[in-house]
Amino acid sequence: MIKKIEEIYLFSLPIKEAEIIDFFLGSKLKDEVLKIMPVQKQTRAGQRTRFKAFVAIGDFDGHIGLGVKCSKEVATAIRGAITLAKLSVIPVRRGYWGNKIGTPHTVPCKVTGKCGSVLVRLVPAPRGTGLVSAPVPKKLLSMAGFEDCYTCATGQTATLGNFAKATFAAISATYAYLTPDMWSPTVFTNSPYQEYTDYLAKPFVKQAKKEVKY
């Protein structure tokens, strides 16, 4: 049925289980905990402290995800953030700074992302420049598969959560621009829901578990 993860993005199908990402990207995915911060709620008995985890996940080749989870325990927060990061994995479009020689290495055009007061702008850079960036966007950009990129940030960038979210928004905007090289007419095909409608219409029969006798 669906052979590549790109088919899911082509038809804008919602990914509702993290195992789908594991199946398609699997061993290529690497995750990194960006920050664990304690957050408190005032109650009559005092404060209730929970832990908020920010996790970035990527395959260093055109896919990136960002997850945020709050929980009573650090381990549970990290585990939940990894799952949410997998569910939010997006495709990343890469391009060239000048001549189209070799593989795409930078952002295809200037893109901007915003979260809270933080505004992050990604600017194409010539080959060999590297990632000219603060540590947080640098991790996200390298995980997404960018080799060269200039960045510009304004606002309260010390708020790491907003800084990471703004960078993620800018990276996801790379596919939002319809550049002239994508102007060729699109040949539409049936979505998987329509193509396999007979199979999907069948009632799901749960198979009985076989008893193992020792």
Side-chain angles (χ1 to χ4, degrees):
M1 288 169 81
I2 293 174
K3 303 286 190 295
K4 291 187 295 183
I5 196 166
E6 271 62 42
E7 290 178 45
I8 294 174
Y9 298 130
L10 179 65
F11 295 105
S12 302
L13 304 179
I15 298 171
K16 294 187 177 181
E17 290 183 21
E19 287 75 19
I20 295 169
I21 299 295
D22 287 332
F23 178 81
F24 287 113
L25 301 178
S27 58
K28 288 192 278 183
L29 279 180
K30 297 280 182 290
D31 55 68
E32 188 162 339
V33 179
L34 299 176
K35 190 178 184 181
I36 294 164
M37 58 185 280
V39 291
Q40 290 182 327
K41 179 186 176 182
Q42 190 69 40
T43 60
R44 279 184 297 178
Q47 291 103 358
R48 190 189 70 183
T49 305
R50 294 200 298 172
F51 297 97
K52 195 176 183 181
F54 295 90
V55 172
I57 198 164
D59 64 349
F60 296 85
D61 191 24
H63 299 96
I64 181 93
L66 182 69
V68 184
K69 180 70 178 170
C70 199
S71 183
K72 287 178 187 175
E73 292 177 17
V74 175
T76 318
I78 292 171
R79 214 176 308 121
I82 289 170
T83 305
L84 290 172
K86 284 177 183 174
L87 293 175
S88 72
V89 166
I90 53 162
V92 176
R93 187 175 168 215
R94 289 168 289 178
Y96 299 91
W97 175 78
N99 291 342
K100 292 182 170 70
I101 299 169
T103 55
H105 61 99
T106 184
V107 284
C109 55
K110 292 175 187 175
V111 286
T112 310
K114 194 170 189 293
C115 181
S117 70
V118 183
L119 187 137
V120 173
R121 189 171 189 234
L122 307 179
V123 181
R127 205 180 286 274
T129 305
L131 299 170
V132 183
S133 163
V136 175
K138 200 170 199 172
K139 278 179 190 171
L140 289 166
L141 289 166
S142 65
M143 278 183 159
F146 293 111
E147 294 164 31
D148 314 289
C149 187
Y150 291 126
T151 62
C152 167
T154 60
Q156 192 69 26
T157 53
T159 312
L160 187 140
N162 287 358
F163 202 9
K165 284 177 183 176
T167 309
F168 184 69
I171 291 169
S172 63
T174 53
Y175 261 119
Y177 284 93
L178 188 66
T179 48
D181 58 333
M182 296 170 78
W183 284 359
S184 54
T186 309
V187 180
F188 291 104
T189 56
N190 287 340
S191 82
Y193 288 148
Q194 217 168 346
E195 200 172 329
Y196 302 102
T197 184
D198 296 333
Y199 174 79
L200 294 168
K202 288 177 186 174
F204 177 70
V205 181
K206 200 172 184 181
Q207 292 179 339
K209 287 184 180 177
K210 291 179 183 177
E211 286 185 20
V212 182
K213 291 180 180 178
Y214 295 103

